Amino acid sequence: EVQLVESGGGLVQPGGSLRLSCAASGFTFNNYWMHWVRQTPGKGLVWVSRINGDGSDTSYADSGKGRFTISRDNAKNTVYLQMNSLRAEDTAVYYCARGPYWSPSDDWGQGTLVTVSS
Amino acid sequence: NFMLTQPHSVSESPGKTVNIFCTGSSGSIATNYVQWYQQRPGSAPTTVIYDDNQRPSGVPDRFSGSIDSSSNSASLTISGLKTEDEADYYCQSYDSSNLVVFGGGTKLTVL
C-alpha cells in the first residue's frame, strides 16, 4: 500500500523558514516524480513544485521561485520542501503527491498545515 | 499564463447525470493530458480521471472523462449520481512550459 506522510508544518512568523518532509512507502521511490501542492483553507488547489526520481530535475510555480527548494533523499524515501522568506499568503495545507511530471495523480498524502503569522 | 476555468458550482439530483466542464484559456486542451480530482470536505484529493479518460482502479465506471476540441474543454461526467459524490472537483493539466495547472474547482451538490 502506498503511503505518503507529510510533516514539518506549523506556525512561523513572516520572513521565517520551514522545511516540510514527506515520507514515502509502498513503492519504488526513486522511480517516481514527486510533487508538492498547496491549498489555502477554503480555496482551491495550487501546484507548488516537482522533482524527478534522481533529483536532477526540479520545477517551481512562480509563487515559490527563489524562495522554495524541493529536494529528495532516496536512501530515506523522503522528499522535502524548504520554504524561506515565508509570507502570510503561503499559509496553506501542503500536500505531497506522487505522479508523472505532468500530474500529481497517483497518490496524495494527508497534508501538513503551514501558518505564517506574527 | 495558461488557465483552466471551471464553474464555481453545479447541482443535480440523485440518479441523474452531471457534466462538469473545464475550459482552457489558450492553445488546445487536447494537446496535454487532463486529470480530474475529487476532494471531500476535510480530506485530501483523490484522482477520479487521469490522462483525459482513464479511471484509476477502484473508481466506479459512473465517472468518465472526455475532451471537446471544438470548445477547448474537458469534461467530467458522473452518471447515476449518489449523495457520496458530493464533493469539490478539480481539473488539472499543464502549460507550454509543462508546469502543472489546476482549475479553480467546482462544488458538486447532490440533492
Side-chain angles (χ1 to χ4, degrees), chain B residues 36-64:
Chain B
W36 290 92
Y37 304 90
Q38 176 192 69
Q39 187 178 33
R40 295 190 175 104
S43 296
T46 61
T47 304
V48 292
I49 294 291
Y50 69 96
D51 293 357
D52 294 342
N53 54 20
Q54 302 299 302
R55 269 189 318 276
S57 61
V59 174
D61 60 5
R62 301 185 296 106
F63 290 81
S64 62

Side-chain angles (χ1 to χ4, degrees), chain B residues 4 9 13 20 28 30 34-35 42 44 46-47 50 56-57 61 63-64 68 77 82 85 97-99 105-106:
Chain B
L4 295 170
S9 62
S13 303
I20 300 174
S28 171
V34 175
Q35 283 61 235
T46 61
T47 304
Y50 69 96
S57 61
D61 60 5
F63 290 81
S64 62
D68 183 351
T77 301
K82 301 183 177 184
D85 298 332
S97 299
N98 290 330
L99 299 185
T106 299

Side-chain angles (χ1 to χ4, degrees), chain A residues 35 37 39 43-47 50 59-60 62 65 95 101-106 108-110, chain B residues 1 33 35 37 39 43-47 50-51 90 92-94 97-100 102-104:
Chain A
H35 299 256
V37 177
Q39 184 173 36
K43 302 294 185 182
L45 301 172
V46 177
W47 179 79
R50 70 177 171 221
S59 298
Y60 300 91
D62 286 345
K65 209 170 288 184
Y95 296 99
Y101 74 86
W102 64 86
S103 74
S105 57
D106 288 353
W108 293 63
Q110 285 305 302
Chain B
N1 285 355
Y33 285 130
Q35 283 61 235
Y37 304 90
Q39 187 178 33
S43 296
T46 61
T47 304
Y50 69 96
D51 293 357
Y90 295 89
Q92 176 262 308
S93 188
Y94 45 104
S97 299
N98 290 330
L99 299 185
V100 173
F102 285 95

